[in-house]
Amino acid sequence: MDKSGESGESGEGPESGGPAGNGYPRPGGGNAPGGDRERKRPPGTGGGILMGRPFGVPVYVAPSWFLVAALITWVFGGQLERVLPELGNLRYLVSLFFAVAFYGSVLVHELAHTVVALRYKLPVRRIQLQFFGGVSEIEKESETPGREFVLAFVGPLLSLVLAGLFYLGMYAVEPGTVPGVLMAGLMISNLIVAAFNLLPGLPLDGGRMLRAVVWKVTGRPMSGTVAAAWTGRALAIVVLAGLPLLTHSGRLGNAPEEFGGVDTVTDALLAAILAGIIWTGAGNSLRMARLRERLPELRARNLTRRAVPVSADTPLSEALRRANEAGARALVVVDGQGEPTALVREASIAGVPEHRRPWVATGGLAQELRPGMRVSAELSGEDLLESLRTTPATEYLVVEETGEVYGVLSTADVERAFVSAMARHS
């Protein structure tokens, strides 16, 4: 199963990663909601065991994958016992191979999204194989509905292609053998992944395709998100109520069963997990869209504090006096030629008792300007958050396009402005 959604919802802010980004997670290969927003890791770190870097994108296997691999091995092993009883305990080795091959198909599904994203110059942080499938963490939104549709559709398309290849492979092997059973199982599983992901509700790929269509018709990406998110929530309710009924009706190819017992509990649990993933992913996608609507309000020029230049040996008390006289709220340390070299951290100033400030040099409280700590006064929205996320710091030097110093931007001010904008929207 595959879901397509947004990567990151809560706790947004410049250092925590902000609201930019798309996730393509999938139970069995798809785009799921990215889940809650945590402090961003540097690209290519964390997320489990690093397996490789196809196309320069790190691929991780999360610890939860091993739980699912064990479950698939056990379930598929039970199927093999009925189809190939002569295998004995070797059936579990064959089942483990099937689990690995199935997640290989999930990886191909994810790589399809990744390749298209890179083709559209959308950065991809990583791919992660996890409990219910995979996630391609795409960090930016598609610029047009057409690109959004293609980016979502390539995943299910590749799953259908894989199903076709495994179907052809069934003709190349003898039926009733281990290769024949593996080919049939992989063909069916890829068909299920493709069909599930084509359902028209976020966070599934089909939901992103629906979003693209509504976006194209209305001209508003938010309208597409709202339509696809609420369709996804309706889909979650259908899955929760309908999957157990469908299983026990015999319409999935099994014999009709009576309600009750372990199978009923298992079916209900599976339905609840799937419904929960879809419902949560739809809500996350909706929240992320609302976040993006507020992003243009974040402008570096509007949030920048006025700053006064001081030399490194200026006593802190004198530097603060000059700032108060100028109505400034930040200090910039400059060299003999007047070039900025460091920023004085607000937290460092607060940590110096007032009676000691005449004896403390301002330079001793300053943080050296590192590459990335100079930002343009023209930055806003996702571009601003991306710039801050790339080089985490508490303060940044804001400069005009001419290189002239405009002031100092505090991360805390950006976070407060973001929270305020979201509160007004709510």
Side-chain angles (χ1 to χ4, degrees):
M1 293 160 286
D2 166 25
K3 308 171 294 169
S4 158
E6 315 295 336
S7 69
E9 316 322 322
S10 61
E12 294 83 350
E15 285 193 72
S16 65
N22 298 330
Y24 277 83
R26 15 207 127 248
N31 315 340
D36 55 347
R37 171 72 67 182
E38 58 186 11
R39 183 175 296 271
K40 284 292 181 186
R41 304 180 181 93
T45 64
I49 303 172
L50 179 62
M51 303 302 293
R53 295 178 180 271
F55 307 103
V57 177
V59 176
Y60 293 93
V61 173
S64 59
W65 176 86
F66 295 95
L67 177 62
V68 178
L71 180 62
I72 293 175
T73 300
W74 176 64
V75 172
F76 194 70
Q79 300 292 330
L80 284 177
E81 186 177 15
R82 289 191 289 271
V83 178
L84 298 171
E86 65 275 10
L87 283 178
N89 289 332
L90 283 177
R91 67 182 184 275
Y92 293 111
L93 183 60
V94 176
S95 298
L96 179 60
F97 179 83
F98 171 80
V100 173
F102 171 66
Y103 267 84
S105 300
V106 173
L107 178 59
V108 172
H109 185 128
E110 296 300 332
L111 287 174
H113 290 299
T114 295
V115 169
V116 173
L118 295 176
R119 173 68 178 81
Y120 291 152
K121 302 188 184 306
L122 302 176
V124 182
R125 179 180 294 111
R126 63 177 179 175
I127 296 173
Q128 185 185 53
L129 300 180
Q130 52 185 227
F131 183 80
F132 255 95
V135 180
S136 298
E137 294 188 11
I138 301 172
E139 296 189 316
K140 289 187 178 180
E141 279 280 273
S142 301
E143 296 179 354
T144 66
R147 290 186 173 187
E148 172 82 348
F149 189 93
V150 172
L151 183 58
F153 180 60
V154 290
L157 177 62
L158 259 292
S159 293
L160 288 173
V161 169
L162 288 176
L165 292 176
F166 288 124
Y167 177 76
L168 294 176
M170 292 170 60
Y171 288 94
V173 298
E174 185 177 347
T177 62
V178 169
V181 171
L182 287 174
M183 289 292 177
L186 290 170
M187 184 268 291
I188 293 172
S189 62
N190 276 279
L191 279 177
I192 293 174
V193 166
F196 188 82
N197 282 295
L198 287 173
L199 293 175
L202 287 173
L204 305 175
D205 287 331
R208 298 190 69 86
M209 293 161 63
L210 173 62
R211 175 181 183 268
V213 171
V214 177
W215 177 3
K216 178 68 174 179
V217 172
T218 64
R220 296 186 66 247
M222 185 62 185
S223 297
T225 301
V226 170
W230 281 103
T231 304
R233 286 174 168 175
L235 182 62
I237 295 173
V238 171
V239 169
L240 180 62
L243 185 59
L245 291 173
L246 194 61
T247 301
H248 287 270
S249 69
R251 294 180 182 177
L252 295 181
N254 56 310
E257 301 176 16
E258 296 292 333
F259 282 95
V262 176
D263 289 341
T264 299
V265 173
T266 302
D267 293 339
L269 180 60
L270 176 61
I273 292 174
L274 291 178
I277 290 173
I278 297 172
W279 182 279
T280 302
N284 289 344
S285 298
L286 195 56
R287 283 191 292 273
M288 285 305 302
R290 288 171 176 161
L291 291 178
R292 287 193 177 90
E293 279 199 326
R294 315 314 299 176
L295 281 183
E297 298 180 13
L298 300 182
R299 298 182 179 276
R301 185 178 297 279
N302 297 342
L303 298 173
T304 298
R305 299 179 177 184
R306 185 178 179 184
V308 294
V310 296
S311 60
D313 59 356
T314 302
L316 179 58
S317 58
E318 173 62 16
L320 293 176
R321 185 191 65 79
R322 295 179 191 176
N324 288 332
E325 284 186 353
R329 298 177 55 210
L331 301 173
V332 177
V333 176
V334 297
D335 59 18
Q337 288 71 45
E339 287 295 318
T341 60
L343 301 178
V344 180
R345 299 179 60 189
E346 185 178 24
S348 299
I349 296 175
V352 180
E354 191 168 350
H355 68 276
R356 294 193 59 239
R357 291 178 179 179
W359 318 109
V360 175
T362 303
L365 305 175
Q367 179 183 16
E368 182 182 0
L369 279 173
R370 295 179 282 112
M373 288 179 63
R374 295 173 185 258
V375 300
S376 170
E378 303 304 320
L379 285 179
S380 64
E382 290 194 41
D383 292 335
L384 173 60
L385 294 182
E386 178 63 24
S387 178
L388 304 192
R389 181 168 58 224
T390 301
T391 308
T394 55
E395 283 91 12
Y396 299 83
L397 184 69
V398 181
V399 296
E400 298 281 11
E401 292 182 350
T402 59
E404 180 184 357
V405 174
Y406 182 74
V408 172
L409 177 65
S410 168
T411 296
D413 289 343
V414 178
E415 291 177 340
R416 278 192 291 268
F418 186 83
V419 171
S420 176
M422 286 308 301
R424 290 198 304 274
H425 177 73
S426 299

